[in-house]
Amino acid sequence: MKPKAKSPIFWPLAGLVALVLLNAVHDLGFLKITLLDGHLYGVPVDILTQGSRTMLVALGMTLVIATGGVDLSVGSVVAIAGAVCAVLLQGGHSLAVTLAAAIGTGLLAGSANGLLVARLGVQPIVATLILMVAGRGVAQLIVDGQVIIIKSPSFEFLANGFLLGVPFAPLLVIALYAATHFALRRTALGLFIEAVGDNETASRFAGLAAARIKALAYIFCGACAGLAGVLAAANIRAADAYRAGENMELDAIFAVVVGGTALTGGRFVILGTAIGALLIQTLTTTMYNLGVPPAIAPVPKALLIIGVSLLQSEKVGRWLGGLWPKKEAA
Amino acid sequence: MNTPALLELRGIGKKFPGVVALAGVDFTVRAGEIHALLGENGAGKSTLIKVLTGVYSADAGELRLAGRVIRPAAPKDAERLGISTVYQEVNLVPSLSVAENITLGRQPGRLGFLNWRAFRRRAAAALARLEVKCDVDAELGSLSVAMQQMVAIARALDTSARLLVLDEPTASLDEKEVAELFGIMRKLRAEGMGIVFVTHFLDQVYAVSDRLTVLRNGQLVGEYATADLSRLALVGKMLGREVSAADFTSHAAAPAVTTQPVLAARGLSRRGAIAPVDLALQPGEVVGLGGLLGSGRTETARLLFGIDVRDAGEISVKGAPVRITSPRDAVRLGLAFCSEDRKGEGILPNLSVRENLIFALQGKRGVLRALSRGEQEQLCEHYIKALRIKTADAETPIKNLSGGNQQKVLLARWLATQPAVIILDEPTRGIDIGAKQEIEQLIAKLRSDGLAVLFISSEIDEVVRNCSRVLVLRERRLTGEIAGAGLNSENLMHLMAGTHEAQS
Ligand SMILES: Nc1ncnc2c1ncn2[C@@H]1O[C@H](COP(=O)(O)OP(=O)(O)OP(=O)(O)O)[C@@H](O)[C@H]1O
Ligand SMILES: [Mg+2]
């Protein structure tokens, strides 16, 4: 008998389904999706739209964590990119220029992180902490301490618009997930990232440019954060250097870990990350709907994360397996 | 019975997904005996030991220590019962000091305070017992694999154990260190300790063991008094087929006709690692790099492969000067390097056998030219068969393979790149006698295919058997070369030890 290996997305998916069911039992309206003016509305649609930014940041974070690192600066990069958008749009620049500049900002930030970690060998937490702290200040400088209101319908469309009745932002993010998946799995890049995370020395000795692969992960992560900054600014039609992207690095790390990618690096699960991000957004929305005060909102979040992580752990699995012994096929 | 059994295992069974590692194995060790546990790679030796020490729990069977049933649930339990173990893969903490590693988990101290002086004294005493000269404050990771192995042994000897278990402790030791270890083992035996000893070196089996148990494919073949079993009979029991002495003849052929060297180095040096070395490898030549531990063999290989930066010297491939500043450069020029440190520098532990095997080839091809799944599977199928790699399937994580089988996958990884030059640093470490013979045949075949091989091994006989020429290093400099009729173990030994002038 050969026991089937449990898919790494089993527990996060189970958590998501359980949470949705819980909501549905509490309030049947939760699952209701209506068509209004040819647009889809409803709580599930909301969750997808609001969760799209975390999903995006978590996508980049997945690759960084797979290489055995972590990027704490993503929240600040979101703020900087938002600030860049606001200033450029205010100055009358076109949408294309604005987008390119925002994503370029992310690429630049990622390159700085990549340089520190991969080339200079600074510990990832320390290296990205620098930008996490300094980045907010940079964002403040760009907007000169103001909250800049953005008045550009085409820019706002990115976060709040609908394409054929479906919200645009989640569509965009899902397309990016698919593209990333293919780029990683149809080429050898995915294998190389996992190898570097699993044993960097061995990867290098086998002829891999390990530093380059690592730097690439940070650069990609920066670009994702840059684009998420665009979506965040478009969503509230303003650049808020203080609050934009606040705690986003934590949500992204949670999404990645809950999704089945180990913090120690190695194997990554992109689909798991998407589910993890949705799980966190669903929980946030649930608490909002239940009127849980924001001050204690982190507690259920923490409980959920501990729960899913425990269920994924081999040790706990063995322990649970001991409680309910499997029938041995002779 | 005259001597009571110290350890009795009865009907031990252990299954892993897709593999039966042990089935109905009995194993008995008496007090005051050295008991060799033998078998091919993947026979189940390490698994049996891990069951005994509580790393794994057995699916079936019973363990008795001095007549009492024991059920160790963790290595700590076993240690408390007086079973002290050195595992096959050194599992110490590289970033801690030698002293900390030796005393880890059993720190002397009072009221929760650590007594650092006592720490260091105990560690020094444990090392002195092995006659190892080693700074107890050195960071473990900075030591050679052999030294780390000695530290692991010192740690095991630091407890008052009744049973000492040594899983391939000698794989990375040289003869002098092995002799010292054997001295200690004999002393402990005289004190009444039972010792379990796993090795693939038959000489060592006959040198120290009193009795031996042979496993094959997770099954017990039998238990014998060492003196009653001839070498050939023992090999036959391990492999499950008849063998003849002719299988271990010399493979070294006359050096190939001198053409352009495929790899040549001039004045290759690095401060503190190796004094300037010149060498040249002809296609179809197996050149040995001889020397004692720490003589600079691995350092030379690392410079050639671009792992360490050289201070001076030129390297040329097929006559053209080349720039090698990283392993990546070296691989692209058709070099391959199989490291001696399997765990640290070789395997990607959580990735599958397939991914490990195709890894260097894929790296050489680059990111975009990905090998298709079909091509990968074909390569795996070929090498798993050719090298007789024992694994449930190609998708098993490599960390689940036995040590010797991991080594074979790493060899396959490099062969798959179809290199022009392959540097083998202790390629037969931890490999069973059947596989060793296969690897030697493989080297002979590579040579006849026109590959140049740089062969590093601590086993002198192996070097003599496989190489047509041996460069000898001593104290980090090239001291001589032996080739042709002069190449025999005696000459080589003298040259390595420096008791004999070079005759190059
Ligand atoms: N954790 C594990 N998960 C799955 N299979 C395993 C695991 N550990 C060992 N095995 C399998 O069990 C078998 C016995 O392995 P074991 O390590 O005991 O061999 P060994 O006799 O020590 O070999 P070697 O001489 O190469 O060290 C092998 O086929 C191995 O692949
Ligand atoms: Mg073993």
Side-chain angles (χ1 to χ4, degrees), chain A residues 278-322:
Chain A
L278 287 178
L279 180 59
I280 283 169
Q281 185 60 46
T282 309
L283 190 68
T284 309
T285 307
T286 306
M287 285 186 298
Y288 186 77
N289 286 351
L290 293 179
V292 177
I296 63 163
V299 175
K301 225 185 216 177
L303 288 179
L304 176 84
I305 287 151
I306 292 177
V308 175
S309 306
L310 279 181
L311 287 171
Q312 283 171 339
S313 125
E314 262 176 49
K315 233 182 189 159
V316 175
R318 224 178 300 140
W319 187 73
L320 287 177

Side-chain angles (χ1 to χ4, degrees), chain B residues 180-427:
Chain B
E180 262 156 34
L181 177 64
F182 285 0
I184 305 237
M185 283 166 64
R186 291 195 186 97
K187 204 174 103 211
L188 295 173
R189 169 175 65 186
E191 289 168 12
M193 193 185 271
I195 301 177
V196 178
F197 176 54
V198 179
T199 184
H200 289 294
F201 297 102
L202 296 191
D203 289 345
Q204 299 181 356
V205 172
Y206 286 95
V208 284
S209 76
D210 305 303
R211 301 183 67 77
L212 58 88
T213 294
V214 178
L215 301 181
R216 188 168 66 234
N217 282 327
Q219 312 256 352
L220 177 69
V221 175
E223 191 197 308
Y224 313 90
T226 307
D228 295 349
L229 200 63
S230 78
R231 232 165 239 260
L232 279 182
L234 171 57
V235 175
K237 300 241 183 279
M238 280 164 54
L239 303 187
R241 57 186 152 93
E242 289 302 309
V243 283
S244 67
D247 288 341
F248 290 89
T249 48
S250 166
H251 296 293
V257 244
T258 314
T259 53
Q260 193 171 59
V262 58
L263 176 70
R266 283 181 61 85
L268 201 62
S269 72
R270 176 179 164 89
R271 266 238 320 272
I274 188 85
V277 173
D278 291 352
L279 58 82
L281 302 183
Q282 304 291 336
E285 191 182 32
V286 182
V287 175
L289 215 46
L292 301 173
L293 284 177
S295 59
R297 296 168 305 175
T298 297
E299 286 78 356
T300 307
R302 288 170 68 108
L303 288 186
L304 280 174
F305 202 63
I307 293 169
D308 296 328
V309 184
R310 55 183 190 270
D311 296 338
E314 285 139 39
I315 302 177
S316 59
V317 171
K318 296 186 182 120
V322 292
R323 230 178 73 93
I324 297 183
T325 55
S326 68
R328 187 176 147 86
D329 295 339
V331 172
R332 290 185 177 219
L333 288 164
L335 270 59
F337 171 59
C338 208
S339 163
E340 64 172 335
D341 184 358
R342 183 166 62 218
K343 191 176 170 190
E345 301 172 351
I347 61 168
L348 307 164
N350 295 299
L351 300 193
S352 66
V353 169
R354 171 177 57 80
E355 287 163 313
N356 270 280
L357 199 151
I358 60 117
F359 188 64
L361 176 59
Q362 185 61 66
K364 195 174 177 179
R365 289 166 63 105
V367 166
L368 293 180
R369 290 170 59 223
L371 290 157
S372 74
R373 189 62 183 244
E375 289 169 302
Q376 298 186 15
E377 274 161 11
Q378 219 173 339
L379 277 169
C380 290
E381 203 178 312
H382 171 77
Y383 283 106
I384 287 176
K385 212 152 111 209
L387 303 185
R388 293 207 306 134
I389 298 170
K390 192 174 173 229
T391 172
D393 56 42
E395 299 307 317
T396 310
I398 195 170
K399 67 174 178 191
N400 287 353
L401 264 58
S402 78
N405 283 301
Q406 293 178 7
Q407 181 74 11
K408 291 187 193 174
V409 174
L410 294 182
L411 261 174
R413 172 193 287 178
W414 287 115
L415 294 182
T417 66
Q418 305 195 312
V421 179
I422 184 163
I423 304 170
L424 300 174
D425 195 355
E426 305 282 1

Side-chain angles (χ1 to χ4, degrees), chain B residues 288-292 295 297 455-457 463 470-474 492 496:
Chain B
L289 215 46
L292 301 173
S295 59
R297 296 168 305 175
F455 186 81
I456 304 176
S457 169
V463 174
V470 179
L471 304 172
V472 178
L473 300 174
R474 180 155 44 86
L492 186 55
M496 278 165 48

Side-chain angles (χ1 to χ4, degrees), chain B residues 35-238:
Chain B
H35 197 119
L37 181 58
L38 305 174
E40 286 183 282
N41 294 130
K45 304 178 296 293
S46 298
T47 305
L48 187 67
I49 285 169
K50 288 180 184 164
V51 164
L52 165 64
T53 60
V55 176
Y56 300 143
S57 63
D59 303 335
E62 190 180 68
L63 291 80
R64 284 171 186 275
L65 189 69
R68 272 187 36 223
V69 175
I70 57 167
R71 273 188 209 87
K76 240 186 138 125
D77 295 347
E79 214 165 85
R80 217 172 294 127
L81 289 164
I83 302 174
S84 198
T85 313
V86 177
Y87 294 98
Q88 183 172 7
E89 308 293 345
V90 175
N91 55 347
L92 301 177
V93 189
S95 57
L96 292 185
S97 75
V98 169
E100 284 165 321
N101 267 293
I102 289 177
T103 44
L104 196 69
R106 34 185 191 241
Q107 289 90 341
R110 246 184 299 169
L111 303 170
F113 290 100
L114 299 180
N115 182 346
W116 289 94
R117 287 243 301 285
F119 248 41
R120 302 178 60 247
R121 216 176 319 116
R122 252 174 79 175
L127 287 167
R129 222 165 140 191
L130 280 170
E131 294 183 40
V132 179
K133 278 190 231 45
C134 168
D135 177 8
V136 293
D137 294 321
E139 193 182 295
L140 186 82
S142 68
L143 304 179
S144 68
V145 179
M147 209 42 132
Q148 295 190 20
Q149 186 77 55
M150 290 308 263
V151 171
I153 295 169
R155 176 182 159 83
L157 291 179
D158 187 39
T159 54
S160 44
R162 284 191 281 175
L163 182 73
L164 177 65
V165 182
L166 303 169
D167 194 354
E168 297 198 34
T170 56
S172 46
L173 302 186
D174 70 14
E175 282 183 38
K176 192 173 133 281
E177 289 164 314
V178 169
E180 262 156 34
L181 177 64
F182 285 0
I184 305 237
M185 283 166 64
R186 291 195 186 97
K187 204 174 103 211
L188 295 173
R189 169 175 65 186
E191 289 168 12
M193 193 185 271
I195 301 177
V196 178
F197 176 54
V198 179
T199 184
H200 289 294
F201 297 102
L202 296 191
D203 289 345
Q204 299 181 356
V205 172
Y206 286 95
V208 284
S209 76
D210 305 303
R211 301 183 67 77
L212 58 88
T213 294
V214 178
L215 301 181
R216 188 168 66 234
N217 282 327
Q219 312 256 352
L220 177 69
V221 175
E223 191 197 308
Y224 313 90
T226 307
D228 295 349
L229 200 63
S230 78
R231 232 165 239 260
L232 279 182
L234 171 57
V235 175
K237 300 241 183 279
M238 280 164 54

